[in-house]
Amino acid sequence: MSYAVRGLPRTAPQTGDLLIDLIIFDCDGVLVDSEVIAARVTATMLGDLGLPISPEDVLTGLVGLDADATRRRIETEHAITLPADFDDRGHVRLAAAFREELQPMAGIVALLGDLRFPYCVASNSGHQRLAQTFASAGLGPLVAGRVFSAEDVARGKPAPDLFFHAAQTMGVAPGRCLVIEDSLTGVTAARAAGMRVIGFCGGGHIRPGHASRLRALGAEAIVGDHASLAAILADLTHEPVRATG
């Protein structure tokens, strides 16, 4: 069954309700408040190599990129070649930090637990990191069998490949997908795939002006927490959706 999105502003005149058959969530910064932790780990590792990069520099320059794009940007901007084991060591250090600190975004456990509607996760993170993320945050049972990674496609976000792949695998046309994204690269990818997007600005990494940048790229609504998102999704699915607990 398809449902009409009635709680979102229109980006263009339409003759009827646009139907949605699938909700696609980003992971980092949407399901879990992980970006600040990851930025600190990355900055520390680069500092060990003699690069004076702060966590804030990582947040403003690298958030939303997949592993290959992150490595290319660092190497290009700083004229260095990262050690071959840089990513592997990063996985180990990040996993340890996640076990100690990572929390699910407030309200997301209840939201997903109550959501009686097809959904999945599409993330630029690799499958290894995603598995660590969901285990640390206690989200594994809620996303099992619904996770897609940039490792599954030729190009990660901001290319649309990952969203196309997720939609095709789930058996839904791209135009009937609604994406929940926090990053500029994610919104860009979703719009390139012909999908509608809600911008999520509830993570600890969000800085002033970010919501405006998401809107400029095509996010047609902005929410600052999962209670606000739940209200939109409840209207979408015609069913109550909690975002507490």
Side-chain angles (χ1 to χ4, degrees):
M1 177 180 292
S2 298
Y3 297 91
V5 180
R6 299 183 298 167
L8 302 181
R10 304 297 190 185
T11 55
Q14 299 183 39
T15 57
D17 284 327
L18 179 62
L19 301 180
I20 297 298
D21 293 323
L22 177 68
I23 301 169
I24 304 178
F25 292 89
D26 181 37
C27 177
D28 296 292
V30 174
L31 301 184
V32 293
D33 203 1
S34 56
E35 296 289 15
V36 171
I37 301 172
R40 188 188 70 237
V41 169
T42 299
T44 299
M45 293 184 64
L46 293 174
D48 292 344
L49 297 176
L51 296 180
I53 295 177
S54 70
E56 190 68 22
D57 294 330
V58 176
L59 287 175
T60 57
L62 299 175
V63 165
L65 300 178
D66 63 24
D68 289 340
T70 296
R71 174 182 282 268
R72 287 195 301 270
R73 179 166 294 182
I74 293 171
E75 292 183 334
T76 299
E77 292 186 354
H78 298 278
I80 66 167
T81 299
L82 294 175
D85 65 346
F86 182 83
D87 291 340
D88 290 338
R89 289 190 292 109
H91 287 314
V92 172
R93 295 178 69 163
L94 189 62
F98 278 3
R99 285 193 296 270
E100 292 292 326
E101 305 175 52
L102 187 65
Q103 295 293 323
M105 204 69 72
I108 191 61
V109 172
L111 189 156
L112 294 181
D114 282 358
L115 192 57
R116 302 293 181 260
F117 194 84
Y119 69 88
C120 66
V121 179
S123 171
N124 258 359
S125 292
H127 281 293
Q128 179 183 355
R129 172 170 165 177
L130 288 168
Q132 294 167 345
T133 295
F134 298 135
S136 297
L139 296 177
L142 292 171
V143 299
R146 307 171 186 259
V147 179
F148 302 94
S149 163
E151 292 179 342
D152 301 332
V153 294
R155 302 176 299 170
K157 308 171 193 177
D161 304 31
L162 178 56
F163 286 126
F164 283 140
H165 172 64
Q168 181 179 33
T169 304
M170 298 293 288
V172 177
R176 290 179 178 253
C177 297
L178 175 68
V179 176
I180 316 301
E181 267 286 356
D182 69 303
S183 72
L184 304 182
T185 54
V187 172
T188 299
R191 295 302 297 135
M195 299 177 181
R196 302 182 78 177
V197 192
I198 296 176
F200 185 81
C201 291
H205 64 294
I206 299 298
R207 297 297 184 261
H210 191 70
S212 296
R213 289 189 285 273
L214 294 180
R215 279 193 178 277
L217 290 172
E220 56 188 273
I222 302 292
V223 295
D225 54 57
H226 280 300
S228 301
L229 178 60
I232 292 177
L233 297 184
D235 184 53
L236 166 68
T237 63
H238 308 295
E239 296 180 0
V241 180
R242 293 186 304 128
T244 59

